[in-house]
Amino acid sequence: MRSQTFEVNTGSTERVHDITRRCEEFARSCGGDGLLHVFVPHATAGVALLELGSGSDDDLLDALRELLPADDRWRHAHGSRGHGRSHVMPALIPPYATIPVIDGRLALGTWQSVAIVDLNIDNTERRVRLSFLSN
């Protein structure tokens, strides 16, 4: 197994951050066939496969705001108002994804991208681990 980490600055606003290019570069450097596992080791971030740039990323954030309002209902209540929702979000958008790699290329569907979903405005830095598994 090959593995590497990199840092992502997701900023101080809710964000869907595209990491597709980094995933593609890593898969290409590994070559061959296998599985790319993408993992964000944070309690408040997730990994999503979705179409980016067409409004779907904003739609996702709007849906999460509706499902997980930034108000005072959350028992986990340190940090900014509504911070507890950031700790619930990874149950809906898990902190990992596994993508097939064929001949060094991600086998994503048409329009799919790999993104970090981060509602936590209190933590702007994220680490991403990419692991390539092959036989």
Side-chain angles (χ1 to χ4, degrees):
M1 177 175 82
R2 288 188 53 193
S3 189
Q4 76 173 32
T5 61
F6 64 93
E7 303 295 320
V8 172
N9 184 314
T10 55
S12 58
T13 60
E14 299 169 352
R15 185 155 182 214
V16 177
H17 182 82
D18 189 358
I19 61 167
T20 308
R21 184 172 306 234
R22 295 291 298 262
C23 293
E24 289 171 336
E25 290 169 357
F26 180 68
R28 192 170 30 256
S29 75
C30 295
D33 298 342
L35 296 172
L36 175 66
H37 187 74
V38 182
F39 177 61
V40 183
H42 297 278
T44 59
V47 177
L49 301 181
L50 75 158
E51 181 179 1
L52 298 177
S54 64
S56 297
D57 32 358
D58 290 330
D59 289 341
L60 174 60
L61 290 175
D62 288 345
L64 290 171
R65 284 183 199 110
E66 189 172 322
L67 286 169
L68 306 170
D71 58 20
D72 295 327
R73 73 183 69 201
W74 308 101
R75 290 181 187 96
H76 189 126
H78 70 84
S80 61
R81 186 171 190 255
H83 176 77
R85 75 193 191 116
S86 296
H87 289 270
V88 172
M89 194 266 316
L92 303 173
I93 300 173
Y96 59 87
T98 302
I99 304 157
V101 176
I102 308 297
D103 198 25
R105 297 180 59 149
L106 299 181
L108 292 171
T110 304
W111 310 116
Q112 282 184 318
S113 296
V114 185
I116 301 300
V117 180
D118 190 358
L119 302 182
N120 184 356
I121 61 174
D122 298 326
N123 183 357
T124 62
E125 296 296 322
R126 298 293 177 194
R127 176 177 298 122
V128 179
R129 175 169 295 283
L130 303 177
S131 299
F132 184 74
L133 305 165
S134 64
N135 53 1

